Each structure stands twice: as structure tokens, then as C-alpha cells.
Amino acid sequence: MLLHKRLIHQGTVFFRYRGQLPIIVILFSVFLIVFFPINLTKEFRYGFYALSSLFVISGHIIRASTVGNRHKHTSGRNRSHHYAENLNTTGWYSVTRNPLYFANFLIWLGLSLSTQHIGVVLLVCSFFWFVYQRIILSEEDYCMLIINIGQSIDNNNGYVFSYLDLLFLVCILFFAGSMKLLKHKTSFFNSED
């Protein structure tokens, strides 16, 4: 359980910096290409370019159709935290749980194939597995409560509270209320310089 929580924490950090992390892959890729070049025959090069183009175009099509057909308030260009008011379950989301990450992988795989360097391809695949596996775990952790409530509403034509749900709700309300009282009615949280 501790390992699972650590992976979720890493996923939250990776989610925040997911736009900057590919820079590391690019730097290592340049290193591999410059210091460990691979020469392929003309036929193999054309094959790599054709496969590369296929993956990049497919990835962009999946991204465009996913973003263009998603529900409002389901996800956004947020970096600091996960955000969703609803879950996407139609379109590409009915085929895979993470169509945008799948599309990103196809694009990066295509770009790595265009380098014609197997080391770069392996690096990109390893990077995506390592980073996005953790990001997906952190997103699934965030979505657990939403999914459970949604399934209960679907199954029961409304949300049916169990005793544990009510106990959990009472504990949250008690904790939140007591923190609010301590913050606004006492000097408990004031730090002295």
C-alpha cells in the first residue's frame, strides 16, 4: 500500500510537470543520435519514415477527435491538480480510458521512429511507461469517489448512502468545521514571528 501511495504521489508530481518532462527525453535522444549513430539502408529509412508518419497522423487525429468531442467541465489545461466535474465515457473514452495519453504516445513513438534510432524508440517507450503509468494511477485515485457515486446513482436511480458513507461524510464535515472554527475563532493557526 505504501508503494501504491508513493506511485500516486509521483504521478501527481509528473502530472504537474508533464509539459517539461519531454525535454529530458529530447536531450537523451540527441545524445544517443550524436554519440551512437545507426546507419540504415535506404529501404529501411523509407519504412521508418512511413511508419513514423502513420503514427504521428493517427495520434493527432485521435487527439483532435477526443478534445473536440469531450463533455464540458471534464478536464482542462490545469497543471497543479486534477479537475473534472464529470467523467468522459463516450467516443475514444469508450475504447480506452486514456485516449489523450494514447495519442501522445503515438505521436512521440512516430517522432522517435523518424530518428531511425532504436535506442531513441526504446527510450521514448520506457519514458512513457514510467511517467504516464504513475500519472494514470494518480488520476484514477482522484476519480475513485466520483466513479463509485456515479455507479451507485445508475444502479439505484439515486445515490444510496451506506453507513460507512455517512460516517465518512460526518467525519469530513466535523474535520472541516473544526478547522474553520480554529482558523477564524482562535489564534491556533497564527504563527508567531
Side-chain angles (χ1 to χ4, degrees):
M1 193 62 164
L2 184 60
L3 175 63
H4 186 71
K5 288 186 184 238
R6 184 179 303 154
L7 293 176
I8 290 171
H9 173 71
Q10 290 171 359
T12 303
V13 173
F14 289 156
F15 180 82
R16 186 173 300 136
Y17 298 106
R18 69 191 184 280
Q20 292 82 12
L21 288 173
I23 294 170
I24 297 168
V25 174
I26 292 169
L27 293 175
F28 276 109
S29 297
V30 169
F31 174 80
L32 287 172
I33 292 167
V34 169
F35 293 105
F36 302 98
I38 295 177
N39 294 321
L40 298 175
T41 64
K42 185 189 280 187
E43 293 80 22
F44 274 116
R45 280 187 285 174
Y46 289 142
F48 271 90
Y49 285 136
L51 200 55
S52 170
S53 299
L54 177 69
F55 282 132
V56 170
I57 291 168
S58 298
H60 281 294
I61 290 171
I62 292 170
R63 277 193 65 80
S65 62
T66 300
V67 171
N69 294 318
R70 69 178 170 83
H71 298 293
K72 291 183 179 180
H73 308 293
T74 54
S75 60
R77 295 271 313 152
N78 50 332
R79 295 213 180 270
S80 61
H81 62 282
H82 299 298
Y83 168 78
E85 291 179 11
N86 300 304
L87 290 175
N88 283 314
T89 57
T90 60
W92 280 101
Y93 284 97
S94 67
V95 178
T96 177
R97 292 189 306 188
N98 303 287
L100 293 175
Y101 296 156
F102 175 65
N104 289 347
F105 175 72
L106 289 178
I107 293 167
W108 276 92
L109 179 60
L111 292 173
S112 68
L113 284 169
S114 71
T115 67
Q116 303 171 17
H117 198 291
I118 192 67
V120 174
V121 174
L122 293 174
L123 175 68
V124 166
C125 292
S126 300
F127 167 81
F128 265 85
W129 173 80
F130 184 82
V131 171
Y132 281 91
Q133 177 231 12
R134 286 156 173 78
I135 290 175
I136 290 167
L137 281 175
S138 71
E139 287 178 346
E140 288 175 351
D141 184 63
Y142 169 77
C143 291
M144 284 295 191
L145 180 61
I146 295 171
I147 291 169
N148 288 339
I149 290 172
Q151 286 175 341
S152 177
I153 290 170
D154 283 347
N155 294 340
N156 302 308
N157 294 328
Y159 188 71
V160 177
F161 285 95
S162 69
Y163 290 112
L164 288 176
D165 292 336
L166 289 174
L167 178 63
F168 183 67
L169 180 63
V170 167
C171 290
I172 288 176
L173 291 174
F174 175 76
F175 179 76
S178 61
M179 292 297 111
K180 191 167 189 108
L181 282 173
L182 285 172
K183 181 179 179 184
H184 294 292
K185 302 294 182 185
T186 70
S187 61
F188 182 76
F189 290 116
N190 295 341
S191 60
E192 295 184 21
D193 295 327

